[in-house]
Amino acid sequence: CTATVTGVGGLSEAVAVTYANNTNVGTASASATYAGDANHDGSTASGSFSITKAGSTTAVTCTPTVTYTGAALEVCTATVTGGGGLSEAVAVTYTNNTNVGTASVSATYAGDANHDGSTASGNFSITKATSTTAVSCTPSVTFTGAALEVCTATVTGVGGLSEAVAV
C-alpha cells in the first residue's frame, strides 16, 4: 500500500503506512496519518486487503529400482514446499512394496492456516533377488549295478527361501 497526502497550496507528499495483521491469511489493515503543518490540519486514512492461502507443492523422490529382500521396502521421501519458506518432510504411504513388481507411493500435505494442501505420487520397481543352489553328494558309494542317486540339492535366498530342489 502507498499513501499520499494532498491539499491546497500544492501539498502532495508520501505518508508512511502502518500495517496490522499483515503476516498470515486473513484481513490485513493499513493506515496512514499526516500530522499536519503550519498551513494544513492533520488527516488519517485507512484501508484493508485480504491475504489468501499460498499454494503448496508436494514432491516424492524414490530409488527407481531395488532388489527383493523379503521385507517391506521404504525407499522414498516426500517434501512439501510453498510460500513463506514452507519446506518440510511429508509422510509417505506405500502399497505393494514387499514382493517383486511395481510398488506405488503417495504423499499428502493437508495444508495449514497459510497454505493449501497438495498431493504427489510415484512408484519404484522391486526386482528379483539372487538365489544360491547347493548340491551335496555322498563322496563315495559302492557299485550296485543300478542307477545311484546319492545327491541332494537345496536352494536358499533372501526372504526365508530354503527349499529342496530335485536333482
Side-chain angles (χ1 to χ4, degrees):
C1 296
T2 60
T4 305
V5 61
T6 58
V8 295
L11 176 63
S12 180
E13 300 177 6
V15 178
V17 177
T18 303
Y19 294 92
N21 301 318
N22 63 325
T23 303
N24 295 313
V25 169
T27 301
S29 60
S31 62
T33 299
Y34 174 67
D37 62 17
N39 297 312
H40 299 92
D41 288 331
S43 61
T44 300
S46 63
S48 65
F49 57 96
S50 294
I51 301 173
T52 59
K53 285 188 176 188
S56 70
T57 302
T58 299
V60 172
T61 303
C62 298
T63 301
T65 304
V66 294
T67 303
Y68 170 79
T69 65
L73 297 166
E74 296 184 354
V75 297
C76 302
T77 59
T79 305
V80 63
T81 56
L86 174 66
S87 180
E88 58 189 57
V90 177
V92 177
T93 302
Y94 292 84
T95 305
N96 299 324
N97 61 320
T98 302
N99 295 316
V100 171
T102 300
S104 299
V105 299
S106 64
T108 299
Y109 173 67
D112 62 19
N114 293 312
H115 300 90
D116 290 325
S118 58
T119 300
S121 60
N123 58 54
F124 62 95
S125 296
I126 302 172
T127 59
K128 290 183 178 185
T130 59
S131 64
T132 302
T133 301
V135 176
S136 176
C137 299
T138 303
S140 177
V141 293
T142 304
F143 173 77
T144 64
L148 298 170
E149 295 182 4
V150 294
C151 298
T152 59
T154 56
V155 61
T156 58
V158 297
L161 176 62
S162 181
E163 298 177 6
V165 178
V167 178

